[in-house]
Amino acid sequence: MKNPRMLKKKIFAGFGHFYALLMLAFFYIPVIVMVIYSFNDGKNNNTWGGFTTRWYTELFQELWGVFGTTVWIAIVSTILAIIIGTLGAVGLHKCKFSGKGIITNSMYLPIVVPEIVLAIATFIALQTAGFELGPAAMILGNTTLVLPIYYS
């Protein structure tokens, strides 16, 4: 006769394995279905219209344009931060005035403040000032974010 404790342990282990498989299926079956239907040529996913990679071609063309814009904004922001940071560092080093410590310490504020808080504050400030949001606003925000790194 088998030990009832061992039988109970095997039943619970089997139930645990079944539950784990059920959870994996719950999470992964919709993903697999979406991957299959991402190659569908039809206008909707109710009917199969044939195999195509058109949607991935359009996606990667769009991503390539976004990548180019991102690199352009990063280069311009970096150049501006280097120029402003160098001029600011040389100017603060050579000049002596009463508010020098406050300005020097406030330069490190974007490093201490989380990036998302700085991004929201910059967004609100630019909207309040009536600045048109676009690449110029992104360059201004990114320059503000990386300026303390070049200053220090």
Side-chain angles (χ1 to χ4, degrees), residues 113-126 141 145:
V113 175
E115 287 87 2
I116 187 69
V117 174
L118 184 65
I120 292 171
T122 304
F123 174 74
I124 291 171
L126 290 176
L145 185 68

Side-chain angles (χ1 to χ4, degrees), residues 42-62:
K43 291 287 183 191
N44 57 20
N45 286 337
N46 293 336
T47 57
W48 183 259
F51 183 82
T52 185
T53 58
R54 180 180 79 185
W55 307 116
Y56 286 102
T57 305
E58 290 179 17
L59 171 71
F60 287 119
Q61 286 175 349
E62 184 71 26

Side-chain angles (χ1 to χ4, degrees), residues 19-137:
Y19 184 74
L21 285 174
L22 191 65
M23 286 292 104
L24 287 173
F26 180 76
F27 287 122
Y28 286 112
I29 287 176
V31 174
I32 292 168
V33 169
M34 289 302 295
V35 168
I36 291 169
Y37 273 101
S38 71
F39 293 104
N40 185 10
D41 195 28
K43 291 287 183 191
N44 57 20
N45 286 337
N46 293 336
T47 57
W48 183 259
F51 183 82
T52 185
T53 58
R54 180 180 79 185
W55 307 116
Y56 286 102
T57 305
E58 290 179 17
L59 171 71
F60 287 119
Q61 286 175 349
E62 184 71 26
L63 287 177
W64 190 250
V66 170
F67 176 73
T69 304
T70 302
V71 168
W72 178 77
I73 288 172
I75 290 171
V76 172
S77 297
T78 301
I79 291 171
L80 281 174
I82 289 172
I83 293 169
I84 295 169
T86 303
L87 290 174
V90 169
L92 281 174
H93 179 71
K94 293 200 180 243
C95 295
K96 300 205 185 304
F97 55 94
S98 61
K100 184 176 177 181
I102 294 172
I103 292 175
T104 303
N105 291 333
S106 69
M107 285 299 294
Y108 296 109
L109 198 57
I111 293 175
V112 176
V113 175
E115 287 87 2
I116 187 69
V117 174
L118 184 65
I120 292 171
T122 304
F123 174 74
I124 291 171
L126 290 176
Q127 267 196 329
T128 303
F131 201 84
E132 184 179 333
L133 301 177

